Amino acid sequence: MENSGQPRLFIDHFAHITDPRIHRQRKHDLIDILFCAICSVLCGAEDCVAMADFARGRLAWLRQFVPMRGGPPSHDTFSRVFTLLNPGPLHECFIQWTQTIQTITQGEVIALDGKTVRHSFDTATDKAAIHMVSAWGAANGLVLGQVKVDSKSNEITAIPQLLKMLDIQGCIVTIDAMGTQKQIAAQIVEQQGDYVLCVKDNHPSLFADVVAFFERSHQDRFLDGEAELIFHTCHTTRDGDHGRIETRTCLASDVLDQIPASADWANLRSIVELTSQRISSGKTTTEKRYYITSLPADAKSILAAVRSHWRVENSLHWVLDVTFDEDQRRNRLGHGPENLSTLRHIAINLCKSNTTRKASVNRKRNMAAWEPEFLTELITNRKI
């Protein structure tokens, strides 16, 4: 008999995906294959051969949750299904399922960032490596959704698709310079969210005006021609770790009359200068970044949002590269790379949302492989 709880929730969300195989050739139900694949990835499986090994070794355990009437699928079955399976419905089910296991809070930072699965290219068919754009919820460290960037396009076209899938009302969306586009800012505002967008020289006039404003303000000590204070806020943080000291100073101002392009950006309220100074091994380096945002000129909250965005590298991309060894995966055929990328994101969410044990994603995967009871805890999200 199937257990209630998280597996039932998972099965209900993913059971309606259309099976791409010819009906008379199906030996295994699609939901059995999907559930088995997710559990195997949780236990360390990195390819379809390992998924088949897991299915044979844990068949009795799997049958607690899904029938597995066809027995353990072979690696060819896993490979064929993920090569043929339309990734769109799988992405949609993933997003809907994620929304049921986490509640997005008012003011939560949602970081949109892209990552290339480097070894997913196929030289023989002139297929480039796939590039995925993910939405990452900073509060709980969960992946909220993802879309693949079209091979003939870039993140600018993928980000609006991803935003449409998400409920961003009351949230702060952060995006690197590639996604700093007027249409994207307008879409975020239309969906009742706020934005913090990095500005670089891909918008040369806007970038030059923002830089010039802060350079003049520093030179004049934030006083205008009549010795009146130019409104701004300032917040500084300082961190020390492994012999390195980093100081970050954020300046935010809502004085936009010197930024002619400001009227072209939906609900733009503030411009931001962020200075990072690092002292390491006796050497000092300084870097300045600039942002536009629909938030009020509150330097403390803006700096917190930007720092949350930076965490996506360590909390998501690093985990995918180091814990899941994603960049070395050689899945290349059809929709395989994209579908297996979604499975890895699901596994990350299951590990991150688990509260029964305090451990890294890597340790939780090891424990799931060694202890069937803990794998049950992960998949049911409850203490056994």
Side-chain angles (χ1 to χ4, degrees):
M1 179 179 294
E2 296 174 2
N3 286 345
S4 59
Q6 190 77 357
R8 184 68 261 167
L9 186 64
F10 174 91
I11 291 166
D12 287 343
H13 272 90
F14 289 83
H16 303 296
I17 297 176
T18 301
D19 196 322
R21 298 168 295 169
I22 299 173
H23 183 74
R24 67 175 181 273
Q25 295 180 351
R26 299 177 194 170
K27 181 181 176 182
H28 307 88
D29 292 339
L30 180 60
I31 191 60
D32 291 2
I33 294 171
L34 291 175
F35 186 75
C36 181
I38 288 296
C39 293
S40 68
V41 172
L42 278 172
C43 291
E46 307 291 2
D47 53 36
C48 293
V49 172
M51 291 177 185
D53 291 340
F54 173 87
R56 285 192 298 271
R58 292 285 183 88
L59 184 59
W61 181 90
L62 287 166
R63 281 176 168 159
Q64 298 177 77
F65 307 106
V66 288
M68 300 294 289
R69 284 182 285 266
S74 68
H75 72 277
D76 285 336
T77 297
F78 281 110
S79 179
R80 183 170 64 257
V81 166
F82 290 122
T83 296
L84 297 174
L85 186 65
N86 184 349
L90 184 63
H91 289 165
E92 292 173 6
C93 290
F94 165 57
I95 291 172
Q96 293 167 7
W97 168 75
T98 300
Q99 290 173 347
T100 65
I101 65 172
Q102 98 145 3
T103 301
I104 297 177
T105 58
Q106 187 78 9
E108 178 173 348
V109 174
I110 299 177
L112 303 190
D113 204 33
K115 179 183 181 299
T116 300
V117 184
R118 300 193 182 278
H119 274 73
S120 59
F121 65 88
D122 188 356
T123 304
T125 60
D126 197 28
K127 177 183 176 182
I130 68 168
H131 188 79
M132 306 294 295
V133 178
S134 300
W136 182 76
N140 296 315
L142 299 185
V143 183
L144 305 178
Q146 65 171 22
V147 294
K148 176 188 172 186
V149 176
D150 186 84
S151 59
K152 297 181 180 179
S153 186
N154 55 36
E155 291 185 14
I156 295 173
T157 59
I159 288 173
Q161 298 174 39
L162 182 56
L163 286 170
K164 286 180 183 178
M165 301 178 187
L166 303 173
D167 179 5
I168 62 171
Q169 183 176 356
C171 297
I172 302 169
V173 178
T174 61
I175 313 176
D176 284 336
M178 174 65 79
T180 302
Q181 304 294 328
K182 297 171 187 176
Q183 298 88 341
I184 291 175
Q187 182 177 348
I188 293 170
V189 172
E190 185 178 337
Q191 292 184 225
Q192 301 182 50
D194 282 296
Y195 60 80
V196 177
L197 305 178
C198 185
V199 179
K200 293 185 179 179
D201 52 12
N202 57 333
H203 289 282
S205 297
L206 176 64
F207 180 67
D209 289 341
V210 173
V211 171
F213 170 84
F214 282 105
E215 287 180 347
R216 287 194 301 269
S217 297
H218 285 298
Q219 185 177 1
D220 298 336
R221 298 184 181 182
F222 281 89
L223 297 175
D224 63 16
E226 299 179 357
E228 294 290 334
L229 183 67
I230 298 173
F231 177 81
H232 69 286
T233 61
C234 179
H235 184 69
T236 299
T237 63
R238 183 173 288 106
D239 298 319
D241 190 17
H242 302 294
R244 182 186 70 178
I245 299 174
E246 182 164 4
T247 304
R248 304 177 187 89
T249 301
C250 182
L251 292 168
S253 176
D254 62 4
V255 179
L256 304 178
D257 55 359
Q258 299 177 43
I259 314 296
S262 61
D264 298 332
W265 295 82
N267 203 31
L268 174 58
R269 298 178 66 184
S270 307
I271 54 176
V272 180
E273 178 188 74
L274 178 55
T275 304
S276 298
Q277 183 187 74
R278 298 180 184 87
I279 301 175
S280 180
S281 302
K283 296 182 180 179
T284 301
T285 58
T286 301
E287 181 181 13
K288 288 183 181 289
R289 296 183 181 90
Y290 298 92
Y291 300 85
I292 57 174
T293 176
S294 60
L295 295 171
D298 180 349
K300 183 176 181 179
S301 62
I302 294 170
L303 178 56
V306 172
R307 294 193 67 184
S308 293
H309 183 92
W310 292 344
R311 285 170 48 208
V312 73
E313 288 293 335
N314 290 332
S315 297
L316 177 59
H317 296 167
W318 187 89
V319 171
L320 287 169
D321 284 341
V322 177
T323 302
F324 289 81
D325 202 21
E326 181 174 74
D327 274 352
Q328 300 305 313
R329 297 302 101 216
R330 294 294 291 165
N331 310 105
R332 294 171 292 179
L333 299 178
H335 298 304
E338 191 173 351
N339 285 322
L340 293 181
S341 175
T342 299
L343 297 187
R344 288 187 283 268
H345 282 96
I346 293 172
I348 287 176
N349 281 3
L350 286 168
C351 289
K352 293 276 190 178
S353 62
N354 170 265
T355 57
T356 62
R357 304 191 196 184
K358 292 184 179 180
S360 66
V361 172
N362 188 47
R363 283 190 61 204
K364 286 182 178 180
R365 292 183 83 200
N366 286 336
M367 289 188 288
W370 297 330
E371 306 172 38
E373 295 80 7
F374 183 61
L375 178 57
T376 302
E377 289 182 14
L378 280 181
I379 205 69
T380 61
N381 201 26
R382 58 185 174 87
K383 182 74 172 178
I384 301 301

